[in-house]
Amino acid sequence: MLIKSSIFVVSSTDIRKCPKPNRPEYAFLGRSNVGKSSLINMLTGIRNLARTSSVPGKTQLINHYLINDEWYLVDLPGLGYARVPRGVKQAWQKMITRYLLSRTNLMNIFFLVDARLEPQAIDIEFINWMGSQYLPFTLVFTKTDKISRTLLSEHMKCFNEKLNETWETLPRRIVTSAVERTGREEILLEIERANIVFYSPEEA
Ligand code: GDP
């Protein structure tokens, strides 16, 4: 897919303020610092993501970008920011889960996982929750340029073992690096395919 235009549309505090669900949409989500801004920038050229959203104490927002006048890319607040009070964290989480459960045009969630780390409890928990809610998602391993191939396959294996405890078939996954620009075509292809399903389901 060729990215011809990426336009910031709106930051919403609440699902009711999001744009009309008249275009397919794709959410990007993961722990703070997982590499979400870098990945979105690598995919679309969007540079000035709502940066303040990762600053503690600032309002957490659902950011909509319109790509090619055809689909929405949604930048969600980072999960589990460590330095905020528990109550605030729970409120974000609630906003995110409410958003994920109620957007009728949500075609896929790209759930980002830092490839350098062993499986993190918060990631596994969230993945299992998405599964229990039948939400469509793809795992996106980030920062893969920072580790050796051996370590990467070791971490993927660990991840599989963890997921095998609860999953019969393993979720789709894409290996990426914002620095080396790997995984870009794969993600955009998934989006392109799902766009076809949204616009002309009989052809898909
Ligand atoms: P966010 O908080 O999830 O939006 O994360 P950022 O995109 O701001 O990235 C967090 C840190 O990881 C920054 O220092 C980035 O430069 C670095 N980073 C992100 N993606 C990659 C990647 O693919 N490779 C490398 N080497 N560093 C990355």
Side-chain angles (χ1 to χ4, degrees), residues 132-164:
S132 72
Q133 301 299 319
Y134 302 103
L135 287 166
F137 69 94
T138 303
L139 295 181
V140 176
F141 287 88
T142 62
K143 309 187 189 180
T144 54
D145 60 285
K146 277 197 163 176
I147 55 170
S148 68
R149 281 188 174 274
T150 321
L151 199 56
L152 176 63
S153 58
E154 225 169 84
H155 284 169
M156 304 271 270
K157 199 167 144 239
C158 269
F159 220 88
N160 284 350
E161 280 165 12
K162 262 274 173 247
L163 292 178
N164 271 330

